[in-house]
Amino acid sequence: MSSEVDLESEQYEKHREAGRILSQVREETADRVEVGVSHLEIAEYAEDRIRELGGQPAFPVNISIDEEAAHATPSIDDESTFGEEMINLDIGVHVDGWLADTAITVDLSGHDELAEASEQALEAAIDVIEPGVNTGDIGAEIEGVIDGYGFNPVVNLTGHGLGHWEQHTAPNIPNRAVSQGTTLEVGDVVAIEPFATDGSGKVTEGSSEEIYSLEHERSVRNRQAREALSQITEEFRTLPFATRWLETDRPEMALRRLKSSSVVHGYPVLKEDDGFLVSQKEHTIIITEDGCEVTTE
Ligand code: MN
Ligand code: MN
């Protein structure tokens, strides 16, 4: 974006409003995570609070446990409860399609240093961000801090730009030093999200899948699939949604049909190998003339 961009315009005000709602919901939700509390109750609490405060969830609340890093959200009748685990909450809000994205680790497993590694990496990254900074240098900061704790950054998950009704746009913000980065400019809105792990630093796809998004809109005959598609195109557009958000009867069957005809695609849970842990911290920022503004502080 050029430096003539107006950071007081309506679009940026909506990004900021999304960020304010999200900061409050992140703190209120994290406070409720305790051993024995249900995942579904936490996800629905956060998503309901977002709506009460005047926003919309930008994607289903991600609740990642221990080796899980991303794309896990409760199923319709989920009965899981928290144990003495490492829990990552990743939450998004949009106001008229303008987004904010944040994550926090709530550690009930006694691995303070691993949680602290991603927090400190995020702070170090934010400290070097100003117009003209190369994304490779942001990645180097993140990698340096996490490496200093004796852990690995997850290198195949990255921060990203936030577009209108789009959760992931260019540029990628790497979690390690790369030589071919791109340059951030005034007005860019990006999410920075370091992940730290005591595992290999490469996540792979698991078998479960509860989050989907629209891929190709086309007509479908089945009634439930048609009802689901109409809710998706009107309410979520190209943003991710959960099976439990669909209002049609037999939502799981509707989704299977939409998926088999490539109308939607799923996001499998991404995870480290069993026995390892992943922490995550994320903020959304706007690049300003003299540095950056954190919308989700
Ligand atoms: Mn996120
Ligand atoms: Mn993100």
Side-chain angles (χ1 to χ4, degrees):
M1 260 178 223
S2 82
S3 54
E4 296 116 58
V5 62
D6 177 9
L7 294 178
E8 305 309 316
S9 66
E10 200 183 355
Q11 114 181 37
Y12 289 102
E13 286 304 330
K14 287 179 176 176
H15 272 300
R16 291 185 184 100
E17 178 61 13
R20 279 190 291 270
I21 293 167
L22 184 49
S23 306
Q24 182 178 342
V25 171
R26 180 193 60 225
E27 296 310 307
E28 291 177 1
T29 306
D31 280 349
R32 282 163 193 265
V33 173
E34 287 174 40
V35 171
V37 170
S38 106
H39 294 191
L40 187 56
E41 183 186 318
I42 285 293
E44 289 183 336
Y45 171 81
E47 291 161 4
D48 288 345
R49 274 304 274 156
I50 290 167
R51 297 184 189 102
E52 282 169 18
L53 294 170
Q56 289 294 326
F59 52 83
V61 170
N62 283 214
I63 299 178
S64 303
I65 305 294
D66 288 347
E67 73 275 8
E68 294 173 346
H71 300 167
T73 200
S75 60
I76 291 178
D77 299 315
D78 207 303
E79 290 183 347
S80 321
T81 57
F82 296 109
E84 290 176 351
E85 299 157 329
M86 179 162 281
I87 297 133
N88 299 327
L89 299 175
D90 192 331
I91 315 177
V93 168
H94 76 84
V95 172
D96 297 333
W98 302 104
L99 283 81
D101 186 359
T102 195
I104 190 171
T105 295
V106 180
D107 178 44
L108 305 179
S109 74
H111 294 82
D112 304 356
E113 289 214 332
L114 184 56
E116 197 180 295
S118 17
E119 278 176 34
Q120 293 299 318
L122 179 59
E123 281 197 23
I126 288 172
D127 281 348
V128 300
I129 293 177
E130 59 183 7
V133 68
N134 190 283
T135 55
D137 295 333
I138 301 172
E141 286 295 322
I142 291 171
E143 182 175 25
V145 170
I146 294 174
D147 188 63
Y149 276 87
F151 299 120
N152 289 316
V154 174
V155 297
N156 57 340
L157 291 174
T158 67
H160 50 90
L162 294 164
H164 195 208
W165 291 101
E166 276 189 287
Q167 193 201 348
H168 289 120
T169 62
N172 284 335
I173 316 288
N175 285 324
R176 59 166 166 164
V178 298
S179 53
Q180 302 287 331
T182 55
T183 298
L184 298 184
E185 303 298 346
V186 174
D188 287 348
V189 181
V190 296
I192 313 290
E193 50 183 312
F195 293 81
T197 180
D198 54 358
S200 67
K202 274 209 171 152
V203 291
T204 55
E205 291 185 351
S207 53
S208 64
E209 194 178 81
E210 281 293 335
I211 301 180
Y212 299 86
S213 73
L214 184 64
E215 187 170 352
H216 294 296
E217 198 178 338
R218 60 166 70 93
S219 63
V220 283
R221 268 199 299 231
N222 172 265
R223 176 178 63 81
Q224 287 90 349
R226 213 168 53 229
E227 287 175 0
L229 181 57
S230 118
Q231 185 188 359
I232 293 162
T233 55
E234 283 165 32
E235 194 175 333
F236 318 133
R237 303 197 196 183
T238 49
L239 292 172
F241 61 90
T243 317
R244 59 187 165 76
W245 286 3
L246 295 178
E247 285 158 1
T248 183
D249 56 312
R250 307 186 68 199
E252 281 151 324
M253 187 276 297
L255 264 177
R256 274 196 303 276
R257 293 204 180 227
L258 292 175
K259 205 182 149 186
S260 69
S261 51
S262 298
V263 175
V264 303
H265 71 274
Y267 298 86
V269 170
L270 298 173
K271 49 196 278 205
E272 267 287 344
D273 293 332
D274 286 353
F276 296 101
L277 300 173
V278 179
S279 71
Q280 179 195 14
K281 181 90 189 201
E282 178 177 23
H283 276 309
T284 297
I285 62 168
I286 302 171
I287 314 300
T288 58
E289 294 288 350
D290 55 1
C292 71
E293 173 185 341
V294 179
T295 68
T296 51
E297 193 67 72

